Amino acid sequence: MPLSVPSFGELLANCRRTAVHLEMRDCYATNERFEAWQRGARINWDDRASWWHAYDQLIADTVARGVVIRRARIVSEPVTEYIKWEHYVTRANTSAGEQVRWLPRRKASNLALPGNDFWAFDGALLRIHHFSGDGAVAEDEITDDPGTVKLCVSAFEAVWERATPHDDYYV
């Protein structure tokens, strides 16, 4: 296991085939964009310069090099306000080239799932996210432990197979 956690940009730069992200929380730490949405602010999707961020460009550049990026979210229903907001802003993710799917938690009961959200890069390296109780990132961990990687990648694929594509999932 590497001693330090490379940045997300470094991990994607070294990625050659696939990057997958599994999210399993119904709420993450609040942020200004979420709070603005709660107050009624909406994105002008026609004004790309107003919402396109460095993250979106990083994803677009990675997809342009041939890396397939997929994100799956397991959510409780009815969904939380946070998930409603995530669903709304996911248009930026898909515009950048991510494929996104949603799985209602009740359809995940018989899946073996890891205890934490993660990114898997080329099916060989994991960036595991550890959160505090209020949804703030406490730390990230990098591992290439074969058993842990196998569990996480197989869990992602099982979720992906059952999940609904973003454009077909309504909150």
Side-chain angles (χ1 to χ4, degrees):
M1 179 166 91
L3 296 177
S4 64
V5 177
S7 72
F8 183 68
E10 291 172 300
L11 291 165
L12 274 185
N14 291 320
C15 192
R16 298 292 169 241
R17 299 178 318 279
T18 63
V20 300
H21 187 35
L22 183 61
E23 296 179 4
M24 299 179 286
R25 296 181 59 96
D26 287 318
C27 188
Y28 294 86
T30 191
N31 61 66
E32 290 178 18
R33 292 172 50 212
F34 173 54
E35 291 170 0
W37 179 83
Q38 286 181 303
R39 290 188 304 272
R42 295 299 181 260
I43 296 169
N44 178 356
W45 293 110
D46 293 330
D47 180 10
R48 181 174 157 171
S50 71
W51 56 267
W52 190 260
H53 297 101
Y55 174 85
D56 303 311
Q57 192 60 53
L58 175 62
I59 296 300
D61 292 345
T62 303
V63 169
R65 327 187 255 109
V67 176
V68 175
I69 300 178
R70 296 181 293 157
R71 178 186 305 255
R73 292 182 172 131
I74 299 173
V75 296
S76 298
E77 292 180 325
V79 299
T80 63
E81 284 299 301
Y82 194 94
I83 295 300
K84 288 179 185 177
W85 171 72
E86 274 197 335
H87 188 272
Y88 174 73
V89 297
T90 293
R91 182 168 175 181
N93 299 75
T94 59
S95 294
E98 277 190 46
Q99 299 171 39
V100 180
R101 292 187 181 181
W102 303 81
L103 182 66
R105 192 171 308 282
R106 70 179 181 280
K107 293 183 179 180
S109 296
N110 63 348
L111 296 179
L113 299 170
N116 298 290
D117 292 9
F118 65 86
W119 277 92
F121 301 93
D122 290 331
L125 184 68
L126 298 175
R127 182 178 183 162
I128 300 170
H129 302 298
H130 298 285
F131 294 94
S132 63
D134 66 359
V137 175
E139 70 177 322
D140 284 335
E141 170 189 355
I142 296 290
T143 186
D144 59 1
D145 173 72
T148 306
V149 170
K150 182 179 179 181
L151 169 73
C152 290
V153 170
S154 66
F156 177 88
E157 293 302 334
V159 169
W160 187 259
E161 183 178 308
R162 291 183 185 186
T164 302
H166 175 71
D167 289 342
D168 298 329
Y169 185 76
Y170 301 99
V171 296

